[in-house]
Amino acid sequence: SLDDQIAAVQAEIDDAPLDSAEAAEAYRVRFLGRKSGVVTDLFAQIGTVAPDQRRAVGQRLNALKQAAQDRLDAAADGARGGAGGAEGATDLDLTLPGRVPAPVAGRAGRGSLHVLTQTLADIQDIFRSFGFSVARGPEIEDDWHNFSALNFPADHPARDMQDTFFLEPPPPEGRGVVLRTHTSPVQIRALEDGEPPLRLIAPGRVFRNEAISYKSYCLFHQVEGLVVDEGVSFADLKAMLQAFARAFFGASDGPAREARMRFRPSFFPFTEPSAEVDVWWADSALPDGGRWMEILGSGMVDPNVLDNVGVDSERYTGYAFGMGVERLAMLRHGIDDIRLLYENDVRFLRQF
Ligand code: PHE
């Protein structure tokens, strides 16, 4: 009978699943569809009902429709509120993929660390594993920390306008505020603030007013190293740098994989003796199959420097080094132009 059919549809309306967008759409078509919906079918049968009962049956069928609509609306609200409810027949489709930033080369943009940042992190990890702590100093320095305490004579060419950026014009006697030209001023700050034994590195940016080319840029990064203790020798310095090179290049597949290095006698006002270290850049296009590339300056801390900061130079000795991070990154990855590291061309950056 029609009564039984209405009861069956009522039960279905209450229980039919509404747990996905597809289920909600099927539900809408089945119970609220105008052409083939089951409630529409029931309305079509109303002519078979005794005339005095048509009104009551009509009301029951309208109530059925309303119940179906209410359940559908409630499910849509639940979905919209994210409460885990089913999705209704609305314009909200939780199954669509989320909105993502404009794709780069077909994928959603997910950044990565700049190759210099990666290189710096690797250098720091290696020295931390050797027991070094990490110190930092300001990029704007005074003459004392950048030059005088480091034993630069008043007329040393490094103080020249040629390669130092002065923030204030140097007064006649040659003192001024500068952008640090190296990380060695952090040696002075560490020695002023602390007591030996000291064993630290100081990573950071340095600035030089040099002609820009494939191998030099107006700013670059150095990692300074300083070890001061009783009985520190040049052999310690050499062993430390060799261990570093092995750790840094050993894991890479760049041109300097073998980490062939050489120590060359050199001069710095703040170290005596001094040495520069070169690493072999293999390149079959070059006449010798490669060339030496300088990566760092180093030496035994000059006793004058220890005296300048009030450390007993009879009791303590130390070594120091300052390595160029860009050079190390270039060697490791076979990058042949330092400017690539500062242009932020994503076609370059994406390779690392
Ligand atoms: N500060 C020197 C430079 O920038 C490098 C260096 C650091 C040399 C420590 C010796 C000791 O060239």
Side-chain angles (χ1 to χ4, degrees):
S1 73
L2 191 56
D3 261 358
D4 293 341
Q5 288 184 51
I6 290 173
V9 171
Q10 175 76 63
E12 252 198 279
I13 282 174
D14 291 345
D15 298 336
L18 268 176
D19 49 9
S20 69
E22 292 76 18
E25 178 60 9
Y27 186 97
R28 187 188 66 75
V29 170
R30 179 155 173 78
F31 300 112
L32 298 167
R34 227 164 276 178
K35 289 227 174 81
S36 58
V38 289
V39 181
T40 306
D41 282 352
L42 294 176
F43 269 113
Q45 295 180 47
I46 213 155
T48 67
V49 173
D52 61 334
Q53 289 179 23
R54 279 183 197 158
R55 198 178 137 90
V57 170
Q59 278 170 358
R60 282 181 70 194
L61 291 178
N62 276 325
L64 269 192
K65 251 180 124 165
Q66 192 58 51
Q69 188 66 56
D70 287 350
R71 245 200 100 199
L72 209 47
D73 289 348
D77 282 350
R80 220 178 267 121
E87 173 135 7
T90 71
D91 57 355
L92 183 78
D93 183 353
L94 292 186
T95 64
L96 286 173
R99 263 168 230 252
V100 294
V104 175
R107 16 175 216 126
R110 180 165 176 187
S112 63
L113 293 178
H114 190 281
V115 60
L116 273 182
T117 310
Q118 293 177 27
T119 306
L120 262 167
D122 289 348
I123 296 170
Q124 290 188 45
D125 282 350
I126 292 169
F127 281 109
R128 271 203 209 94
S129 80
F130 293 160
F132 285 64
S133 58
V134 177
R136 284 174 204 281
E139 292 175 1
I140 295 172
E141 267 297 8
D142 51 44
D143 181 274
W144 169 253
H145 291 95
N146 199 76
F147 294 125
S148 296
L150 287 163
N151 204 33
F152 279 80
D155 57 354
H156 193 280
R159 294 175 180 231
D160 201 286
M161 299 291 288
Q162 299 272 308
D163 43 15
T164 304
F165 286 113
F166 286 87
L167 293 179
E168 286 167 8
E173 68 277 19
R175 311 274 132 127
V177 177
V178 303
L179 291 181
R180 67 179 177 191
T181 57
H182 51 180
T183 43
S184 298
V186 189
Q187 286 186 42
I188 301 302
R189 291 181 179 276
L191 288 165
E192 283 173 340
D193 295 350
E195 294 279 313
L198 288 173
R199 193 181 186 80
L200 57 92
I201 56 167
R205 273 193 289 200
V206 303
F207 306 85
R208 288 198 199 160
N209 192 3
E210 285 176 326
I212 290 172
S213 74
Y214 75 92
K215 62 174 180 177
S216 37
Y217 199 62
C218 49
L219 79 96
F220 57 99
H221 293 73
Q222 289 187 332
V223 173
E224 193 80 8
L226 176 68
V227 173
V228 179
D229 200 350
E230 291 179 22
V232 175
S233 72
F234 195 89
D236 296 328
L237 166 64
K238 209 173 160 185
M240 176 57 64
L241 291 177
Q242 250 150 9
F244 166 77
R246 224 169 288 127
F248 182 81
F249 291 114
S252 76
D253 54 4
R257 182 179 42 239
E258 257 111 83
R260 273 179 74 194
M261 63 194 297
R262 70 174 184 192
F263 286 72
R264 231 176 342 99
S266 184
F267 173 81
F268 299 99
F270 40 96
T271 47
E272 181 60 32
S274 304
E276 281 174 312
V277 170
D278 302 334
V279 171
W280 183 251
W281 171 281
D283 181 351
S284 53
L286 295 174
D288 299 329
R291 65 181 153 81
W292 291 104
M293 183 146 155
E294 183 199 320
I295 56 159
L296 65 86
S298 66
M300 300 304 292
V301 178
D302 193 302
N304 287 343
V305 173
L306 298 177
D307 293 342
N308 284 342
V309 292
V311 170
D312 184 350
S313 60
E314 296 289 324
R315 179 169 172 202
Y316 293 108
T317 54
Y319 66 75
F321 55 83
M323 49 182 70
V325 179
E326 280 74 1
R327 294 280 178 91
L328 287 168
M330 290 167 74
L331 275 161
R332 192 188 226 186
H333 296 289
I335 300 164
D336 59 8
D337 191 326
I338 192 172
R339 291 168 292 197
L340 289 165
L341 296 167
Y342 288 94
E343 284 165 353
N344 287 330
D345 184 330
V346 287
R347 292 168 301 180
F348 170 77
L349 296 178
R350 215 184 281 134
Q351 299 174 76
F352 306 101

